[in-house]
Short mmCIF file of all heavy atoms in Angstrom, two decimals:
data_model
loop_
_atom_site.label_atom_id
_atom_site.label_comp_id
_atom_site.label_asym_id
_atom_site.label_seq_id
_atom_site.Cartn_x
_atom_site.Cartn_y
_atom_site.Cartn_z
N SER A 1237 -1.07 -3.60 -2.53
CA SER A 1237 -0.66 -2.63 -3.55
C SER A 1237 -1.13 -1.24 -3.16
O SER A 1237 -2.10 -1.13 -2.35
CB SER A 1237 -1.27 -3.04 -4.92
OG SER A 1237 -2.64 -2.94 -4.91
N ILE A 1238 -0.52 -0.27 -3.79
CA ILE A 1238 -0.96 1.10 -3.62
C ILE A 1238 -0.88 1.75 -4.96
O ILE A 1238 0.12 1.67 -5.68
CB ILE A 1238 -0.09 1.84 -2.56
CG1 ILE A 1238 -0.57 3.27 -2.33
CG2 ILE A 1238 1.38 1.76 -2.90
CD1 ILE A 1238 0.03 3.93 -1.10
N ASN A 1239 -1.97 2.46 -5.36
CA ASN A 1239 -1.99 3.00 -6.72
C ASN A 1239 -1.55 4.43 -6.73
O ASN A 1239 -1.19 5.02 -5.67
CB ASN A 1239 -3.35 2.79 -7.34
CG ASN A 1239 -4.44 3.76 -6.79
OD1 ASN A 1239 -4.16 4.64 -5.99
ND2 ASN A 1239 -5.64 3.58 -7.28
N VAL A 1240 -1.52 5.04 -7.87
CA VAL A 1240 -1.02 6.40 -8.07
C VAL A 1240 -1.78 7.41 -7.23
O VAL A 1240 -1.25 8.49 -6.87
CB VAL A 1240 -1.02 6.76 -9.57
CG1 VAL A 1240 -2.41 6.91 -10.15
CG2 VAL A 1240 -0.19 8.02 -9.81
N ASN A 1241 -3.01 7.11 -6.92
CA ASN A 1241 -3.84 8.04 -6.11
C ASN A 1241 -3.80 7.72 -4.60
O ASN A 1241 -4.41 8.40 -3.84
CB ASN A 1241 -5.29 7.94 -6.55
CG ASN A 1241 -5.49 8.41 -7.93
OD1 ASN A 1241 -4.95 9.44 -8.36
ND2 ASN A 1241 -6.21 7.65 -8.76
N GLY A 1242 -2.93 6.70 -4.27
CA GLY A 1242 -2.79 6.39 -2.82
C GLY A 1242 -3.78 5.39 -2.33
O GLY A 1242 -3.77 5.00 -1.11
N ARG A 1243 -4.61 4.82 -3.20
CA ARG A 1243 -5.59 3.83 -2.80
C ARG A 1243 -4.81 2.52 -2.52
O ARG A 1243 -4.02 2.08 -3.35
CB ARG A 1243 -6.62 3.56 -3.81
CG ARG A 1243 -7.56 2.43 -3.53
CD ARG A 1243 -8.57 2.14 -4.64
NE ARG A 1243 -9.31 0.96 -4.42
CZ ARG A 1243 -10.25 0.48 -5.20
NH1 ARG A 1243 -10.57 1.17 -6.25
NH2 ARG A 1243 -10.80 -0.67 -4.94
N THR A 1244 -5.13 1.90 -1.41
CA THR A 1244 -4.47 0.65 -1.02
C THR A 1244 -5.41 -0.54 -1.17
O THR A 1244 -6.57 -0.43 -1.09
CB THR A 1244 -3.93 0.72 0.42
OG1 THR A 1244 -5.04 0.95 1.31
CG2 THR A 1244 -2.89 1.82 0.58
N ASP A 1245 -4.78 -1.68 -1.34
CA ASP A 1245 -5.53 -2.95 -1.51
C ASP A 1245 -4.71 -4.03 -0.80
O ASP A 1245 -3.49 -4.03 -0.91
CB ASP A 1245 -5.79 -3.29 -2.92
CG ASP A 1245 -6.82 -4.37 -3.13
OD1 ASP A 1245 -7.52 -4.70 -2.19
OD2 ASP A 1245 -6.87 -4.95 -4.25
N TYR A 1246 -5.38 -4.97 -0.12
CA TYR A 1246 -4.71 -5.98 0.64
C TYR A 1246 -5.32 -7.37 0.44
O TYR A 1246 -6.53 -7.47 0.31
CB TYR A 1246 -4.70 -5.67 2.16
CG TYR A 1246 -4.04 -4.44 2.57
CD1 TYR A 1246 -4.66 -3.25 2.65
CD2 TYR A 1246 -2.62 -4.43 2.81
CE1 TYR A 1246 -4.04 -2.05 3.04
CE2 TYR A 1246 -1.93 -3.27 3.17
CZ TYR A 1246 -2.70 -2.12 3.29
OH TYR A 1246 -2.05 -0.95 3.62
N ALA A 1247 -4.49 -8.38 0.47
CA ALA A 1247 -4.99 -9.74 0.51
C ALA A 1247 -5.69 -9.93 1.86
O ALA A 1247 -5.27 -9.38 2.89
CB ALA A 1247 -3.89 -10.78 0.40
N ASP A 1248 -6.79 -10.76 1.88
CA ASP A 1248 -7.52 -10.94 3.13
C ASP A 1248 -6.59 -11.48 4.25
O ASP A 1248 -6.82 -11.12 5.45
CB ASP A 1248 -8.65 -11.95 2.88
CG ASP A 1248 -9.79 -11.34 2.05
OD1 ASP A 1248 -9.86 -10.08 1.98
OD2 ASP A 1248 -10.59 -12.11 1.54
N SER A 1249 -5.63 -12.28 3.89
CA SER A 1249 -4.77 -12.89 4.89
C SER A 1249 -3.87 -11.94 5.64
O SER A 1249 -3.35 -12.29 6.70
CB SER A 1249 -3.92 -14.00 4.22
OG SER A 1249 -3.08 -13.40 3.25
N VAL A 1250 -3.73 -10.69 5.08
CA VAL A 1250 -2.83 -9.74 5.75
C VAL A 1250 -3.58 -8.47 6.26
O VAL A 1250 -2.94 -7.61 6.87
CB VAL A 1250 -1.67 -9.37 4.84
CG1 VAL A 1250 -0.93 -10.63 4.32
CG2 VAL A 1250 -2.08 -8.50 3.64
N LYS A 1251 -4.83 -8.32 5.94
CA LYS A 1251 -5.57 -7.17 6.35
C LYS A 1251 -5.53 -7.00 7.85
O LYS A 1251 -5.71 -7.94 8.62
CB LYS A 1251 -7.01 -7.31 5.89
CG LYS A 1251 -7.23 -6.97 4.42
CD LYS A 1251 -8.75 -7.08 4.04
CE LYS A 1251 -8.90 -6.80 2.56
NZ LYS A 1251 -10.32 -6.95 2.15
N GLY A 1252 -5.24 -5.73 8.28
CA GLY A 1252 -5.19 -5.50 9.71
C GLY A 1252 -3.81 -5.70 10.27
O GLY A 1252 -3.52 -5.31 11.43
N ARG A 1253 -2.95 -6.39 9.53
CA ARG A 1253 -1.59 -6.67 10.06
C ARG A 1253 -0.52 -5.99 9.22
O ARG A 1253 0.53 -5.60 9.78
CB ARG A 1253 -1.35 -8.20 10.04
CG ARG A 1253 -2.31 -8.99 10.91
CD ARG A 1253 -1.89 -10.45 11.01
NE ARG A 1253 -1.85 -11.10 9.73
CZ ARG A 1253 -0.79 -11.67 9.19
NH1 ARG A 1253 0.41 -11.67 9.86
NH2 ARG A 1253 -0.81 -12.32 8.05
N PHE A 1254 -0.70 -5.88 7.96
CA PHE A 1254 0.28 -5.29 7.04
C PHE A 1254 -0.24 -3.90 6.60
O PHE A 1254 -1.45 -3.70 6.44
CB PHE A 1254 0.47 -6.16 5.81
CG PHE A 1254 1.19 -7.46 6.04
CD1 PHE A 1254 1.42 -7.95 7.30
CD2 PHE A 1254 1.66 -8.22 4.95
CE1 PHE A 1254 2.06 -9.16 7.49
CE2 PHE A 1254 2.30 -9.39 5.10
CZ PHE A 1254 2.52 -9.88 6.36
N SER A 1255 0.72 -3.05 6.31
CA SER A 1255 0.39 -1.71 5.86
C SER A 1255 1.35 -1.27 4.75
O SER A 1255 2.59 -1.34 4.98
CB SER A 1255 0.44 -0.71 7.01
OG SER A 1255 0.15 0.61 6.57
N ILE A 1256 0.80 -0.87 3.62
CA ILE A 1256 1.66 -0.47 2.53
C ILE A 1256 1.63 1.07 2.40
O ILE A 1256 0.61 1.67 2.62
CB ILE A 1256 1.16 -1.15 1.17
CG1 ILE A 1256 2.19 -0.88 0.03
CG2 ILE A 1256 -0.20 -0.66 0.80
CD1 ILE A 1256 1.96 -1.71 -1.20
N SER A 1257 2.79 1.63 2.09
CA SER A 1257 2.87 3.11 1.91
C SER A 1257 3.96 3.37 0.83
O SER A 1257 4.68 2.45 0.43
CB SER A 1257 3.20 3.73 3.26
OG SER A 1257 4.47 3.29 3.70
N ARG A 1258 4.01 4.61 0.44
CA ARG A 1258 4.99 5.01 -0.55
C ARG A 1258 5.56 6.38 -0.23
O ARG A 1258 4.89 7.24 0.36
CB ARG A 1258 4.35 5.01 -1.95
CG ARG A 1258 3.16 5.91 -2.06
CD ARG A 1258 2.33 5.62 -3.29
NE ARG A 1258 2.94 6.18 -4.50
CZ ARG A 1258 2.56 5.92 -5.72
NH1 ARG A 1258 1.61 5.01 -5.93
NH2 ARG A 1258 3.16 6.49 -6.75
N ASP A 1259 6.81 6.57 -0.61
CA ASP A 1259 7.46 7.89 -0.53
C ASP A 1259 7.76 8.29 -1.92
O ASP A 1259 8.77 7.78 -2.52
CB ASP A 1259 8.73 7.78 0.38
CG ASP A 1259 9.40 9.12 0.59
OD1 ASP A 1259 9.26 9.99 -0.33
OD2 ASP A 1259 10.05 9.29 1.62
N ASN A 1260 6.98 9.17 -2.51
CA ASN A 1260 7.13 9.52 -3.89
C ASN A 1260 8.45 10.18 -4.16
O ASN A 1260 9.06 10.00 -5.19
CB ASN A 1260 5.95 10.43 -4.32
CG ASN A 1260 4.61 9.75 -4.15
OD1 ASN A 1260 4.51 8.54 -4.37
ND2 ASN A 1260 3.60 10.50 -3.80
N ALA A 1261 8.94 10.97 -3.24
CA ALA A 1261 10.19 11.69 -3.47
C ALA A 1261 11.39 10.73 -3.57
O ALA A 1261 12.38 11.01 -4.23
CB ALA A 1261 10.45 12.70 -2.32
N LYS A 1262 11.23 9.57 -2.91
CA LYS A 1262 12.29 8.59 -2.94
C LYS A 1262 12.01 7.45 -3.85
O LYS A 1262 12.78 6.47 -3.98
CB LYS A 1262 12.52 8.00 -1.52
CG LYS A 1262 13.02 9.07 -0.50
CD LYS A 1262 13.21 8.42 0.86
CE LYS A 1262 13.72 9.45 1.87
NZ LYS A 1262 13.94 8.88 3.19
N ASN A 1263 10.89 7.46 -4.55
CA ASN A 1263 10.48 6.42 -5.51
C ASN A 1263 10.51 5.05 -4.79
O ASN A 1263 11.00 4.07 -5.32
CB ASN A 1263 11.40 6.37 -6.73
CG ASN A 1263 11.19 7.58 -7.60
OD1 ASN A 1263 10.08 8.10 -7.76
ND2 ASN A 1263 12.25 8.05 -8.23
N THR A 1264 10.04 5.05 -3.54
CA THR A 1264 10.10 3.91 -2.70
C THR A 1264 8.77 3.49 -2.18
O THR A 1264 7.94 4.37 -1.78
CB THR A 1264 11.08 4.12 -1.58
OG1 THR A 1264 12.38 4.43 -2.08
CG2 THR A 1264 11.19 2.95 -0.63
#
């Protein structure tokens, strides 16, 4: 997950392999 302040959180099983990001202008 990624919160409104850009803080990210990951399940242990995906840490270091997955990366979450957001494009606010595209609501994506």
Side-chain angles (χ1 to χ4, degrees):
S1237 67
I1238 182 167
N1239 75 4
V1240 66
N1241 297 314
R1243 174 182 171 179
T1244 58
D1245 193 16
Y1246 297 94
D1248 288 342
S1249 60
V1250 307
K1251 282 181 181 177
R1253 301 188 299 120
F1254 289 13
S1255 178
I1256 190 169
S1257 61
R1258 56 196 281 170
D1259 185 330
N1260 298 326
K1262 296 181 179 179
N1263 293 324
T1264 299

